[in-house]
């Protein structure tokens, strides 16, 4: 409780500093130069935290977005969801997949106009059934947020592997989306995390998100068989 | 037409010879010794023919099973479905996945009592939607034919790759099923086709068939992106 009294004001100060820096950021920090990006990660769970740490280590400016930001104290600023979207060059959906569609649409489609959104979630029930069989969360989000540039990616391995691909032998990671520029940004972020450029497989448009989302059931079966999340697949030809 | 008049009687003679050999086959040809197996492949399409050729080359005795055997002339005996099951040590379901459940149940559950059945089919619509989302053909077949020992396998790559794994770099193939002995037979058949034993991933029980069947949507997306079926995935760790 005491710790909380110390950390909460600190986190709020960090938020302030972050927003100051965002407002005054130099035009040198542009997407075009693929340098420092302001990345707003929606969610504050393990996936969001692991990504935040890795992308911060890669040099990016990170904020987390939460429905209840006052209650969260992390090493990164925690903003209300709409603010995390508004201040971000790139948004990452790291909310629980089963609630992502509701959470993101509650922010409002206008908020996402022109935004690059990396959707890394898997939408399943606790019993590992798919919530969107023969479709995908990626497609649902693109339909609900037509102004957004949704890229499905990073959902085919554990975040421990996604943020440290060298932990395994060579393996593959996928991008699906309508916008080639957004997929290029996604690929550059993957490169920042240590993925060789030739390990990134462009599957095509957002419809192909159903491929990587349906793979979740094979991922789950493999994790159960191996009793470990430290594996991935490599596309070989 | 002339050719057909020559070939049909020849095929019928081959059928006769095959059935004679089956009736009198030596007890040396037993499953236990993993030598020559009598393999009944249900289906006469491209998948069935490719498998028949490869398994015959590996030394096995092959028959194909068809609803309409009289109309088919192949280099292998074509039997009525029930006869192809009755005379086989190992049955392979290579019928079109969308009709497999109906076709196999039409043969009768009793016919499959104790039979090892390798189910290699993918059950999807022409638009590549899964017919059994959040389930699988493998599970449906096991439920409909409770006496059978269903093993889901060979459905995650094109038959050109399944029957010639050395065409690619190292990659993986999967087995799912309730019966460990049946999975061992499946693995030995995969080995006969050229799969190194350590490339065969045992995913567990028949429920895990949904993993490899849902993977079909990623397979389809990859095939579309690569404009080729000559690829596979390798599980890396």
């Amino acid at each position: 409780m005491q710790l909380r009294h110390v950390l909460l004001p600190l986190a709020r100060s960090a938020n302030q500093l972050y927003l100051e820096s965002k407002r005054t950021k130099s035009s040198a920090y542009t997407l075009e130069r693929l340098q420092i990006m302001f990345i707003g990660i929606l969610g504050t769970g393990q996936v969001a935290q692991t990504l935040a740490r890795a992308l911060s280590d890669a040099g990016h400016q990170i904020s987390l977005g939460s429905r209840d930001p006052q209650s969260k104290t992390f090493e990164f600023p925690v903003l209300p969801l709409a603010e995390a979207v508004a201040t971000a060059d790139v948004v990452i959906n790291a909310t629980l997949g089963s609630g992502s569609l509701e959470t993101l649409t509650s922010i409002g489609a206008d908020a996402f106009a022109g935004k690059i959104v990396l959707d890394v979630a898997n939408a399943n029930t606790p019993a590992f059934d798919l919530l969107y069989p023969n479709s995908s969360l990626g497609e649902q989000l693109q339909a609900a947020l037509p102004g957004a540039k949704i890229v499905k990616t990073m959902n085919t391995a554990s975040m421990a592997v996604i943020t440290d691909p060298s932990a395994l032998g060579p393996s593959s990671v996928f991008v699906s989306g309508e916008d080639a520029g957004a997929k290029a940004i996604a690929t550059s972020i993957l490169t920042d995390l240590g993925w060789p450029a030739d390990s990134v497989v462009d599957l095509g448009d957002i419809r192909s998100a159903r491929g990587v989302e349906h793979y979740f059931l094979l991922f789950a079966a493999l994790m159960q068989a191996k009793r470990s999340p430290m594996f991935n697949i490599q596309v070989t030809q």
Side-chain angles (χ1 to χ4, degrees), chain A:
Chain A
M1 286 308 201
Q2 294 293 70
L3 191 63
R4 187 181 174 79
H5 289 152
V6 177
L7 288 178
L8 254 180
L10 273 177
R12 284 183 191 131
S13 304
N15 276 7
Q16 283 305 317
L17 279 171
Y18 170 76
L19 292 175
E20 288 296 326
S21 75
K22 178 70 189 171
R23 269 183 225 107
T24 61
K25 74 174 169 137
S26 148
S27 63
Y29 298 145
T30 60
L31 281 179
E32 286 69 37
R33 298 187 60 179
L34 295 181
Q35 293 185 340
I36 297 176
M37 282 187 266
F38 284 75
I39 299 180
I41 301 177
L42 307 185
T44 55
Q46 198 58 50
V47 167
Q49 288 182 54
T50 305
L51 265 177
R53 167 50 44 217
L55 291 171
S56 175
D57 287 350
H60 296 297
Q61 288 293 317
I62 307 299
S63 65
L64 301 177
S66 168
R67 281 186 169 170
D68 188 13
Q70 301 302 325
S71 71
K72 306 286 169 67
T73 53
F74 292 114
E75 57 182 315
F76 305 101
V78 183
L79 309 179
L81 290 166
E83 206 167 317
V85 172
T87 56
D89 300 317
V90 173
V91 176
I92 298 182
N93 173 37
T95 64
L96 199 65
S98 55
S100 291
L101 187 58
E102 187 188 346
T103 301
L104 270 67
T105 52
S106 78
I107 301 170
D110 288 351
F112 286 96
K115 289 283 178 186
I116 294 169
V117 179
L118 311 189
D119 171 30
V120 308
N122 280 300
N124 51 273
T125 70
F128 284 4
D129 280 350
L130 297 180
L131 273 189
Y132 306 109
N134 290 325
S135 180
S136 60
L137 174 60
E139 289 164 276
Q140 299 292 320
L141 287 174
Q142 186 61 77
L145 309 169
K149 298 168 181 174
I150 307 281
V151 180
K152 189 84 203 187
T153 188
M154 303 189 201
N155 73 308
T156 50
S158 72
M159 268 302 145
V161 170
I162 291 293
T163 57
D164 184 16
S166 66
L168 308 178
S171 64
S172 302
V173 67
F174 305 90
V175 293
S176 302
E178 303 295 323
D179 190 276
K183 287 194 282 192
I185 296 289
T187 300
S188 80
I189 289 175
L190 287 165
T191 306
D192 293 340
L193 291 172
W195 290 91
D198 66 359
S199 67
V200 182
V201 180
D202 185 344
L203 287 174
D205 61 20
I206 194 65
R207 191 182 195 280
S208 65
R210 66 182 63 182
V212 287
E213 292 195 28
H214 281 60
Y215 167 76
F216 178 71
L217 268 65
L218 181 52
F219 174 83
L222 279 164
M223 189 164 65
Q224 193 158 21
K226 295 184 171 298
R227 300 179 188 282
S228 164
M230 294 308 290
F231 65 88
N232 194 16
I233 54 172
Q234 182 184 23
V235 179
T236 61
Q237 53 191 7

